[in-house]
Amino acid sequence: MKKIKIHNKNFKLFISHEKILSAVEKIADSLNEKLKGKQPLFICILNGSFMFAADLFKRMESVEAEISFVKLASYKGDKTTGEVKQLIGLSQNIEGRTVVVLEDIVDSGITIENIQEQLRQLNPREVIIATLLLKPDALIKKVQLDYVGMEIPNDFIVGYGLDYDGQGRNLADIFSIINE
């Protein structure tokens, strides 16, 4: 079994890159069908979603789409702070547009709830939420998710854009913490 160490924590292989790309492909296929003729704006939630957004956006072959980025922060170390800080905001006018929010992982639901509220105030036609990963056991907010790549247990993970204090985002696979 493949293992890695980041800072003071050990992790084991949890989801292979191939399985990740398969989940991305399924979401992309569904979005290509749903978004025909809509010219959506994809919004990538930085930092964690950049790999998911890149792989998904490359597969939007039948959609005339744009992509933008917002930077939000809600984690410190391996724990959520329960607060969402908006560090870089949206500059496009989204009134009357279809907006697709791309999130790497939904755990508490706090970040998604926050961005949905912010976007609704800008009067989009519709807001679609696509997340690669969902931790249903960690949800504390009731949020509507339109596309979920995989449901996973409430373990701390790194890789494929997800980090532990800034490290591990570059890993192609996703690793889960080894509780010792």
Side-chain angles (χ1 to χ4, degrees), residues 30-46:
S30 296
L31 284 171
N32 271 309
E33 188 64 34
K34 179 176 178 62
L35 298 173
K36 282 183 184 168
K38 292 190 177 184
Q39 296 182 315
L41 173 64
F42 285 77
I43 298 176
C44 171
I45 309 296
L46 296 174

mmCIF file of all heavy atoms in Angstrom, residues 30-46:
data_model
loop_
_atom_site.group_PDB
_atom_site.id
_atom_site.type_symbol
_atom_site.label_atom_id
_atom_site.label_comp_id
_atom_site.label_asym_id
_atom_site.label_seq_id
_atom_site.Cartn_x
_atom_site.Cartn_y
_atom_site.Cartn_z
ATOM 1 N N SER A 30 -22.594 14.518 -17.725
ATOM 2 C CA SER A 30 -23.906 15.041 -17.320
ATOM 3 C C SER A 30 -24.005 16.544 -17.570
ATOM 4 O O SER A 30 -25.034 17.039 -18.046
ATOM 5 C CB SER A 30 -24.161 14.750 -15.838
ATOM 6 O OG SER A 30 -24.239 13.364 -15.612
ATOM 7 N N LEU A 31 -22.953 17.276 -17.235
ATOM 8 C CA LEU A 31 -22.966 18.728 -17.440
ATOM 9 C C LEU A 31 -23.000 19.090 -18.920
ATOM 10 O O LEU A 31 -23.686 20.043 -19.314
ATOM 11 C CB LEU A 31 -21.761 19.375 -16.760
ATOM 12 C CG LEU A 31 -21.854 19.505 -15.242
ATOM 13 C CD1 LEU A 31 -20.520 19.952 -14.659
ATOM 14 C CD2 LEU A 31 -22.970 20.461 -14.838
ATOM 15 N N ASN A 32 -22.276 18.355 -19.753
ATOM 16 C CA ASN A 32 -22.319 18.617 -21.194
ATOM 17 C C ASN A 32 -23.741 18.516 -21.720
ATOM 18 O O ASN A 32 -24.167 19.322 -22.543
ATOM 19 C CB ASN A 32 -21.400 17.649 -21.951
ATOM 20 C CG ASN A 32 -19.990 18.166 -22.097
ATOM 21 O OD1 ASN A 32 -19.778 19.283 -22.533
ATOM 22 N ND2 ASN A 32 -19.027 17.353 -21.712
ATOM 23 N N GLU A 33 -24.472 17.550 -21.245
ATOM 24 C CA GLU A 33 -25.863 17.359 -21.663
ATOM 25 C C GLU A 33 -26.750 18.476 -21.130
ATOM 26 O O GLU A 33 -27.532 19.079 -21.867
ATOM 27 C CB GLU A 33 -26.364 15.994 -21.183
ATOM 28 C CG GLU A 33 -27.717 15.608 -21.715
ATOM 29 C CD GLU A 33 -27.757 15.436 -23.223
ATOM 30 O OE1 GLU A 33 -26.750 14.984 -23.808
ATOM 31 O OE2 GLU A 33 -28.793 15.767 -23.817
ATOM 32 N N LYS A 34 -26.642 18.780 -19.854
ATOM 33 C CA LYS A 34 -27.507 19.774 -19.200
ATOM 34 C C LYS A 34 -27.261 21.201 -19.687
ATOM 35 O O LYS A 34 -28.184 22.013 -19.738
ATOM 36 C CB LYS A 34 -27.319 19.719 -17.684
ATOM 37 C CG LYS A 34 -28.171 20.727 -16.923
ATOM 38 C CD LYS A 34 -28.045 20.581 -15.434
ATOM 39 C CE LYS A 34 -28.834 21.587 -14.663
ATOM 40 N NZ LYS A 34 -30.263 21.558 -14.829
ATOM 41 N N LEU A 35 -26.026 21.511 -20.037
ATOM 42 C CA LEU A 35 -25.642 22.900 -20.303
ATOM 43 C C LEU A 35 -25.638 23.296 -21.778
ATOM 44 O O LEU A 35 -25.272 24.422 -22.104
ATOM 45 C CB LEU A 35 -24.271 23.179 -19.694
ATOM 46 C CG LEU A 35 -24.178 23.027 -18.180
ATOM 47 C CD1 LEU A 35 -22.745 23.162 -17.710
ATOM 48 C CD2 LEU A 35 -25.082 24.034 -17.480
ATOM 49 N N LYS A 36 -26.066 22.408 -22.660
ATOM 50 C CA LYS A 36 -26.073 22.739 -24.092
ATOM 51 C C LYS A 36 -26.868 24.013 -24.323
ATOM 52 O O LYS A 36 -27.993 24.162 -23.853
ATOM 53 C CB LYS A 36 -26.677 21.596 -24.905
ATOM 54 C CG LYS A 36 -25.730 20.446 -25.105
ATOM 55 C CD LYS A 36 -26.321 19.374 -25.975
ATOM 56 C CE LYS A 36 -25.352 18.214 -26.057
ATOM 57 N NZ LYS A 36 -25.936 17.032 -26.647
ATOM 58 N N GLY A 37 -26.237 24.960 -25.023
ATOM 59 C CA GLY A 37 -26.896 26.205 -25.390
ATOM 60 C C GLY A 37 -27.013 27.237 -24.279
ATOM 61 O O GLY A 37 -27.625 28.280 -24.479
ATOM 62 N N LYS A 38 -26.434 26.993 -23.107
ATOM 63 C CA LYS A 38 -26.603 27.916 -21.978
ATOM 64 C C LYS A 38 -25.434 28.871 -21.751
ATOM 65 O O LYS A 38 -25.565 29.814 -21.004
ATOM 66 C CB LYS A 38 -26.861 27.128 -20.691
ATOM 67 C CG LYS A 38 -28.189 26.415 -20.691
ATOM 68 C CD LYS A 38 -28.506 25.852 -19.321
ATOM 69 C CE LYS A 38 -29.882 25.209 -19.334
ATOM 70 N NZ LYS A 38 -30.271 24.742 -18.011
ATOM 71 N N GLN A 39 -24.286 28.648 -22.323
ATOM 72 C CA GLN A 39 -23.089 29.472 -22.138
ATOM 73 C C GLN A 39 -22.827 29.777 -20.654
ATOM 74 O O GLN A 39 -22.823 30.933 -20.232
ATOM 75 C CB GLN A 39 -23.192 30.762 -22.944
ATOM 76 C CG GLN A 39 -23.244 30.503 -24.431
ATOM 77 C CD GLN A 39 -23.298 31.772 -25.243
ATOM 78 O OE1 GLN A 39 -24.047 32.686 -24.928
ATOM 79 N NE2 GLN A 39 -22.512 31.812 -26.295
ATOM 80 N N PRO A 40 -22.595 28.746 -19.871
ATOM 81 C CA PRO A 40 -22.427 28.929 -18.425
ATOM 82 C C PRO A 40 -21.095 29.563 -18.040
ATOM 83 O O PRO A 40 -20.134 29.546 -18.813
ATOM 84 C CB PRO A 40 -22.488 27.497 -17.892
ATOM 85 C CG PRO A 40 -21.910 26.688 -19.014
ATOM 86 C CD PRO A 40 -22.423 27.351 -20.268
ATOM 87 N N LEU A 41 -21.098 30.087 -16.825
ATOM 88 C CA LEU A 41 -19.863 30.539 -16.194
ATOM 89 C C LEU A 41 -19.530 29.527 -15.103
ATOM 90 O O LEU A 41 -20.332 29.317 -14.185
ATOM 91 C CB LEU A 41 -20.030 31.925 -15.569
ATOM 92 C CG LEU A 41 -18.839 32.416 -14.729
ATOM 93 C CD1 LEU A 41 -17.594 32.593 -15.591
ATOM 94 C CD2 LEU A 41 -19.195 33.702 -14.000
ATOM 95 N N PHE A 42 -18.393 28.875 -15.229
ATOM 96 C CA PHE A 42 -17.916 27.971 -14.198
ATOM 97 C C PHE A 42 -17.129 28.798 -13.187
ATOM 98 O O PHE A 42 -16.326 29.643 -13.575
ATOM 99 C CB PHE A 42 -17.010 26.882 -14.791
ATOM 100 C CG PHE A 42 -17.759 25.818 -15.541
ATOM 101 C CD1 PHE A 42 -18.243 26.052 -16.819
ATOM 102 C CD2 PHE A 42 -17.975 24.580 -14.965
ATOM 103 C CE1 PHE A 42 -18.927 25.074 -17.515
ATOM 104 C CE2 PHE A 42 -18.671 23.593 -15.647
ATOM 105 C CZ PHE A 42 -19.148 23.837 -16.924
ATOM 106 N N ILE A 43 -17.362 28.534 -11.906
ATOM 107 C CA ILE A 43 -16.628 29.221 -10.848
ATOM 108 C C ILE A 43 -15.891 28.164 -10.032
ATOM 109 O O ILE A 43 -16.508 27.311 -9.400
ATOM 110 C CB ILE A 43 -17.566 30.036 -9.939
ATOM 111 C CG1 ILE A 43 -18.264 31.129 -10.752
ATOM 112 C CG2 ILE A 43 -16.769 30.638 -8.778
ATOM 113 C CD1 ILE A 43 -19.285 31.914 -9.958
ATOM 114 N N CYS A 44 -14.580 28.252 -10.076
ATOM 115 C CA CYS A 44 -13.718 27.327 -9.338
ATOM 116 C C CYS A 44 -13.411 27.934 -7.976
ATOM 117 O O CYS A 44 -12.965 29.076 -7.893
ATOM 118 C CB CYS A 44 -12.430 27.104 -10.125
ATOM 119 S SG CYS A 44 -11.156 26.202 -9.226
ATOM 120 N N ILE A 45 -13.658 27.165 -6.923
ATOM 121 C CA ILE A 45 -13.347 27.613 -5.570
ATOM 122 C C ILE A 45 -11.887 27.238 -5.273
ATOM 123 O O ILE A 45 -11.548 26.066 -5.163
ATOM 124 C CB ILE A 45 -14.273 26.949 -4.521
ATOM 125 C CG1 ILE A 45 -15.752 27.101 -4.898
ATOM 126 C CG2 ILE A 45 -13.981 27.507 -3.129
ATOM 127 C CD1 ILE A 45 -16.257 28.505 -4.932
ATOM 128 N N LEU A 46 -11.056 28.263 -5.178
ATOM 129 C CA LEU A 46 -9.639 28.040 -4.885
ATOM 130 C C LEU A 46 -9.413 27.919 -3.385
ATOM 131 O O LEU A 46 -10.208 28.420 -2.609
ATOM 132 C CB LEU A 46 -8.812 29.221 -5.418
ATOM 133 C CG LEU A 46 -8.818 29.414 -6.922
ATOM 134 C CD1 LEU A 46 -8.080 30.695 -7.292
ATOM 135 C CD2 LEU A 46 -8.200 28.233 -7.633
#
